[in-house]
Amino acid sequence: MRSRRSEVSYTARQRSYRLLLYVLMLVGCVIMLLPFFWMLTTSVKTEAGAMRMPPQWIPAKLHWENYAVAWGMAPFGRYFFNSFFVSITSTIGEVITTILAAYAFAKMRFFGKNVLFAILLGTLMIPGEMLLVPNYVTLTRLGWLDHYEALIIPWMVSVFGIFLLRQFFRSIPDELWDAARIDGCPRGRYLWRVVVPLSKPAVLTVALFKFLGSWNAYQWVLMMTNTESMRTVPVGLATFSSDIGTAYHLLMAASVMAILPILILFFFTQKQFIQGIARTGIK
Amino acid sequence: MRTWRERIGRAVPRGLGKPLGILRGKLNPVAVYRRNPSFWKETGTAYLYLLPALVILTVFIFYPFFDAFRISLFKWGLLPPRPYVGFANYTYIFHDKYFWRSLWHTFYYVIITVPVTLFLAILVASLLNKGLRFLSFSRTSFFLSYISPIVAIAMVWRWMYNANYGLLNYLLSLLNKIPFVHIQPIDWLNNPDYALPAVIILSVWHYVGYQAIILLAGMQNIEQQYYDAAKVDGATGFQAWRRVTIPLLTPQLFFVFIMSLIGSFKVFTEVNVMLMGPGPLRSAETIVYYILRSSGRIDGATQHLGRAAAASVVLFGIIFALTIFQMTVTQRKVHYQ
C-alpha cells in the first residue's frame, strides 16, 4: 500500500518536473527566436511605428511596401546576383576539387601521401585572418582585386572538406573498384558514377556548408573588393545600414531579405545540415 | 631477398654498376620506376587528381603563410618604395597602446564568451536530450541563429540594443515594476563599458545552438546500457547526468571548447557590423579588427600592411600555442571509452 502511494506521488513529481523542462525549453526557444521575430515585425512597421514606446509587438497595419522601398534604395539586385554567383560557382568548384583530392587520399597509393596529408592537416592550424594581408598583396599582383576571381578561386578548395570526404570514401569497399576495373571502367568514371553517388550525403554536407559560408562571408569580401558593383549581400547590407541612419524598418526589411535565401535552403535540407554539424563533432 | 642488381634489372650499364650500386638504385629514377611500375603510374594519376586542390592551396594558403612573415619585415604602404625594415613593425605594434588594448579586448571577449556559451550549450543539449516533444522545432529554433548571416544578425541586435527605442532596454524597464528594482536604460552601443559586453551577448546567442547540436549528437551516441547500469546502481537522473553523460561526452566537449576558443580569437564581423566600427573610444577593437584597420581596409585608416602582417603573426602565435595545447591534451586521451 505504502509503496503504491509513493509511486503515485513520484509520477506527480515527475509530471511537474517534465512541465518545468517544457517551460525551460520554451524560454530558450523564445530567446532564440525573439530577434528574428523582432526583425520581421519591425520590417513591416512605419518609421514612427518602429520608434514607438512601449513597442508594438504586431503593428496594426502591415507595411510590406517597406521591402520594395529598401530594395530600391541600394543596388540589392546586384548584391544578390553577386552573392548567388559567387556562392554557387565556389561551391561547385570546391566540390569538384575536394572530391578529386579526397578520393586520391582515400583510395590511391602514391608517393608522398602521408607527408602531403600531414601538411594538409597542418594548414588547419593557420588562422585565415593571418592570410588576409599576403593574399591581398597576391590578389593585387594578379590584378584580381575587385574582380569575381578574388571572391571565388581562393575559396574553391577546403581542407576540412577533403578530410570529411576522405573519411567517407574510405568506408567504400575496394571490391567495387575491382569489379569496375574488371568491367573495364576507367578510374575517373568509377569515381563520378559509383563513389560520388554512394557518398551523396557527405558530398551534400560539404556543398551545403560551403554555400552557407560563402553566402555569409563578410571579412574576405570587405578586404578584397572596393566598388559597389562587386559587393555581396552581407557587405552591401552593412554599407546600406551606414547610409540610411535610423530608418530601422528599412534596415530590418533588408536584413530579412538577406537571411531569406539561407532560410529557404535550410528548410529544404534541414536533415543534412543538422547531421553534418553533428558529424563534424563526432568524427 | 633479391640483390639490388636483380631488382633494378638492366637499368644501369654494367660499367657504372659499381659506383651507382652504392645507392642501391634508390636515386635512379628509371630503376625506381621499374621496381614498381604500377605504383608510379598510380602516383601520376593521384597527383593529377590532387592538382587542382594543390595549386589553389599553394597559392592561397601555403605561400601566403610564409609571405605573412616576409611582409611583416617591410614598410609596406599603398605605394612603393617598400623598404626592408627588420623588426620595426613589431617594435611599432608592441609600443602601440591600441594593439595591447585590442589584445586585451580579445582576451576579455574570449574568457567570457567561450565558457558562457559552452555552459549554456550543455544545458540546452541536456534539455533537448530529455526526450521532450517538439524536438525538431526546438532544435531548429536553436540552430537558426547559427546559419543566419552574421551581418543580418548584427543588424537586428544593433536595433534591439538601441538606447531609446530598443527592445532590450524596454524589456529591462519592465523589471522596474518589481519593487526595489531600478534599472536605468543602458546605452549599449555608445558606452565604452557596454560595447564589448553587447558583442559578447550577441556571440553567445549566435553560437550556442551550434554547440548544443554537436553536444546533443554526442549525447545521443552514448549507449543506453550505461544509463541502465547507472539505474541499477540506484543513480538519480542528475547523478546519471553528472557521472555518465558528462564523462562520456568529453571528446565533444573538448572539440567544441577548442573550436570556440580558436574561433573566438578571430572575432571581427560582430564588432565591425554591430558597432559600425571599433566601438566608442575603440573600446571593442579586437586583434583582427586591428589587422584590417592596419591594412587600411576599414575605418579610413592609412595602409600599413607590414604592421598588419606583424599583428597577424602575433595572432598566429596565439592560435598555434592553443593548437599545440589541444594536441597534447588529445594525445593524453580526453575520453574514457
Side-chain angles (χ1 to χ4, degrees):
Chain A
M1 193 63 194
R2 193 188 277 163
S3 77
R4 191 184 233 172
R5 222 153 111 205
S6 75
E7 212 179 295
V8 168
S9 71
Y10 181 69
T11 353
R13 226 183 90 189
Q14 208 177 27
R15 202 176 293 150
S16 57
Y17 174 63
R18 292 276 271 197
L19 190 70
L20 176 76
L21 292 183
Y22 275 108
V23 170
L24 278 177
M25 191 147 88
L26 187 70
V27 171
C29 290
V30 166
I31 294 175
M32 295 312 287
L33 294 179
L34 189 65
F36 290 103
F37 172 74
W38 199 241
M39 186 187 276
L40 199 62
T41 190
T42 308
S43 75
V44 289
K45 288 177 182 175
T46 57
E47 184 162 8
M51 302 282 186
R52 252 204 10 217
M53 267 293 160
Q56 275 178 302
W57 291 104
I58 294 170
K61 192 170 176 295
L62 305 182
H63 295 270
W64 294 106
E65 70 274 11
N66 287 347
Y67 285 83
V69 174
W71 183 271
M73 281 177 75
F76 276 109
R78 180 75 195 211
Y79 298 159
F80 273 86
F81 169 77
N82 287 346
S83 270
F84 273 112
F85 180 66
V86 168
S87 304
I88 291 170
T89 44
S90 60
T91 302
I92 294 173
E94 190 232 22
V95 165
I96 294 171
T97 63
T98 304
I99 286 176
L100 289 172
Y103 177 76
F105 278 118
K107 289 292 179 189
M108 293 171 89
R109 303 172 302 144
F110 61 89
F111 179 76
K113 184 169 163 177
N114 294 336
V115 177
L116 205 60
F117 199 63
I119 293 174
L120 235 60
L121 248 174
T123 62
L124 287 178
M125 278 193 232
I126 305 172
E129 287 68 11
M130 182 193 185
L131 309 178
L132 280 174
V133 171
N135 275 331
Y136 175 77
V137 172
T138 308
L139 292 173
T140 314
R141 284 220 185 105
L142 288 171
W144 285 0
L145 215 65
D146 223 17
H147 284 80
Y148 285 121
E149 286 92 329
L151 304 182
I152 297 168
I153 292 172
W155 293 98
M156 289 215 312
V157 71
S158 147
V159 175
F160 191 67
I162 294 177
F163 288 135
L164 212 72
L165 284 190
R166 170 183 169 267
Q167 293 302 97
F168 209 91
F169 288 170
R170 272 156 68 111
S171 65
I172 294 170
D174 285 330
E175 285 76 13
L176 275 179
W177 168 227
D178 293 337
R181 197 161 44 171
I182 289 164
D183 290 346
C185 173
R187 207 186 267 278
R189 197 193 297 164
Y190 166 74
L191 173 58
W192 295 105
R193 290 288 166 82
V194 179
V195 176
V196 172
L198 280 176
S199 322
K200 223 168 111 191
V203 173
L204 213 62
T205 303
V206 169
L208 275 177
F209 280 95
K210 180 49 139 205
F211 189 87
L212 185 69
S214 195
W215 186 273
N216 293 350
Y218 172 75
Q219 190 174 279
W220 181 270
V221 183
L222 186 70
M223 185 90 180
M224 305 304 173
T225 61
N226 295 318
T227 52
E228 197 170 61
S229 61
M230 287 312 297
R231 280 179 199 141
T232 56
V233 172
V235 179
L237 183 61
T239 325
F240 176 66
S241 86
S242 50
D243 290 346
I244 60 160
T246 56
Y248 278 105
H249 58 305
L250 298 178
L251 182 59
M252 290 303 107
S255 303
V256 171
M257 292 191 287
I259 293 186
L260 216 54
I262 288 293
L263 276 193
I264 293 169
L265 183 72
F266 177 67
F267 281 110
F268 280 112
T269 55
Q270 216 184 118
K271 223 174 115 194
Q272 287 299 330
F273 254 118
I274 303 226
Q275 278 173 358
I277 292 269
R279 196 178 287 137
T280 57
I282 293 174
K283 282 198 282 199
Chain B
M1 276 300 282
R2 292 183 299 170
T3 64
W4 67 269
R5 167 66 71 186
E6 279 163 12
R7 267 188 279 146
I8 64 168
R10 267 169 301 153
V12 185
R14 244 169 218 295
L16 282 170
K18 192 94 182 170
L20 282 181
I22 300 163
L23 299 171
R24 306 211 142 223
K26 272 188 181 155
L27 289 182
N28 182 340
V30 181
V32 167
Y33 177 79
R34 285 213 179 155
R35 211 181 303 142
N36 199 345
S38 76
F39 174 76
W40 289 106
K41 268 183 198 150
E42 205 168 317
T43 297
T45 323
Y47 276 95
L48 217 61
Y49 279 39
L50 288 168
L51 191 69
L54 284 186
V55 168
I56 298 172
L57 284 174
T58 309
V59 177
F60 296 107
I61 293 187
F62 298 137
Y63 166 71
F65 172 69
F66 297 104
D67 205 30
F69 291 95
R70 183 181 70 89
I71 293 174
S72 75
L73 303 177
F74 287 82
K75 183 177 157 63
W76 200 302
L78 201 56
L79 297 169
R82 288 160 179 158
Y84 172 82
V85 290
F87 288 93
N89 289 319
Y90 291 92
T91 322
Y92 175 84
I93 63 168
F94 286 131
H95 283 94
D96 183 3
K97 71 173 179 185
Y98 286 112
F99 178 71
W100 288 108
R101 278 195 198 169
S102 74
L103 268 183
W104 160 241
H105 296 149
T106 311
F107 275 105
Y108 175 70
Y109 170 88
V110 169
I111 282 173
I112 312 242
T113 309
V114 173
V116 170
T117 315
L118 190 60
F119 176 74
L120 290 175
I122 294 173
L123 289 189
V124 171
S126 306
L127 201 60
L128 293 178
N129 196 32
K130 277 286 181 187
L132 301 180
R133 269 187 246 176
F134 314 116
L135 173 70
S136 82
F137 173 78
S138 42
R139 201 169 52 176
T140 304
S141 31
F142 276 99
F143 198 52
L144 225 47
S145 64
Y146 175 69
I147 57 159
S148 305
I150 188 105
V151 173
I153 293 303
M155 293 300 165
V156 68
W157 278 88
R158 187 162 94 212
W159 169 223
M160 293 198 307
Y161 278 131
N162 187 292
N164 302 318
Y165 310 108
L167 185 62
L168 277 180
N169 276 349
Y170 169 71
L171 293 176
L172 285 177
S173 74
L174 291 182
L175 295 175
N176 285 335
K177 295 204 167 120
I178 305 167
F180 306 113
V181 175
H182 295 289
I183 298 175
Q184 295 295 318
I186 300 169
D187 195 356
W188 293 93
L189 304 178
N190 299 313
N191 183 335
D193 292 335
Y194 283 99
L196 201 51
V199 175
I200 290 174
I201 295 173
L202 160 68
S203 297
V204 170
W205 179 84
H206 185 228
Y207 290 105
V208 69
Y210 164 72
Q211 298 191 359
I213 299 288
I214 293 184
L215 296 180
L216 177 65
M219 285 180 182
Q220 287 172 341
N221 253 22
I222 298 173
E223 283 175 40
Q224 185 58 34
Q225 58 190 38
Y226 293 107
Y227 292 107
D228 294 342
K231 210 170 187 178
V232 168
D233 290 344
T236 62
F238 177 76
Q239 280 172 329
W241 180 82
R242 171 75 190 78
R243 303 279 170 201
V244 177
T245 312
I246 296 300
L248 287 176
L249 200 64
T250 14
Q252 280 81 30
L253 281 173
F254 191 69
F255 172 80
V256 166
F257 171 70
I258 284 294
M259 282 303 161
S260 109
L261 195 62
I262 291 178
S264 298
F265 269 102
K266 307 177 192 169
V267 55
F268 165 75
T269 307
E270 292 88 335
V271 174
N272 191 43
V273 177
M274 197 179 74
L275 301 174
M276 295 207 285
L281 307 174
R282 292 169 80 167
S283 59
E285 183 171 10
T286 60
I287 307 182
V288 175
Y289 194 98
Y290 187 92
I291 294 173
L292 265 93
R293 192 191 152 91
S294 308
S295 312
R297 301 303 292 171
I298 46 174
D299 250 13
T302 328
Q303 191 170 66
H304 292 288
L305 287 183
R307 289 175 198 169
S312 307
V313 169
V314 174
L315 174 70
F316 170 71
I318 296 171
I319 305 252
F320 185 70
L322 287 174
T323 315
I324 296 294
F325 162 74
Q326 176 211 3
M327 284 174 163
T328 348
V329 178
T330 319
Q331 250 154 35
R332 276 199 219 134
K333 291 254 191 293
V334 228
H335 51 91
Y336 295 76
Q337 272 169 324

